[in-house]
Amino acid sequence: MYTVSIPNFLRTWRLSDGADLNKQIGRIQAMKVIIVGAGKVGFSMAQLLSAENHDVTVIEPSSERAQIMENALDIQVITGSGSSVADLKA
């Protein structure tokens, strides 16, 4: 399984007005995110965004890889092509 963490320098980073970045991050509303492909990068992005309670959908052509993603993460997975209009509407 892949894991992604926020680098330490970002954890302590302060915004120009002196506000703590962590407090600002807490105010961000959940996003609806579509990730095309469930390789290393796609899996890591889905894992990170799902852990932050975003609404993540992954489109993956391999049914085997799609099943792995669906079992490992709390996300929606569509088996199909990211270049297919029909799959993007699903």
Side-chain angles (χ1 to χ4, degrees), residues 6-27:
I6 297 173
N8 287 336
F9 74 90
L10 284 179
R11 292 178 192 272
T12 57
W13 186 54
R14 295 204 173 265
L15 301 176
S16 59
D17 63 0
D20 187 348
L21 178 64
N22 292 326
K23 290 179 184 174
Q24 295 297 322
I25 290 173
R27 290 190 232 178

Side-chain angles (χ1 to χ4, degrees), residues 4 33 35 40-50 56:
V4 175
V33 180
I35 299 171
K40 291 180 181 180
V41 174
F43 187 96
S44 295
M45 288 177 58
Q47 184 180 36
L48 177 65
L49 293 168
S50 176
V56 179

Side-chain angles (χ1 to χ4, degrees), residues 30-34 54-56:
M31 295 183 289
K32 293 182 179 182
V33 180
I34 297 174
H54 295 291
D55 184 13
V56 179

Side-chain angles (χ1 to χ4, degrees), residues 52-70:
E52 294 177 352
N53 296 318
H54 295 291
D55 184 13
V56 179
T57 301
V58 174
I59 302 174
E60 168 60 37
S62 166
S63 58
E64 181 180 316
R65 187 72 183 155
Q67 187 65 40
I68 292 169
M69 291 277 291
E70 204 165 58

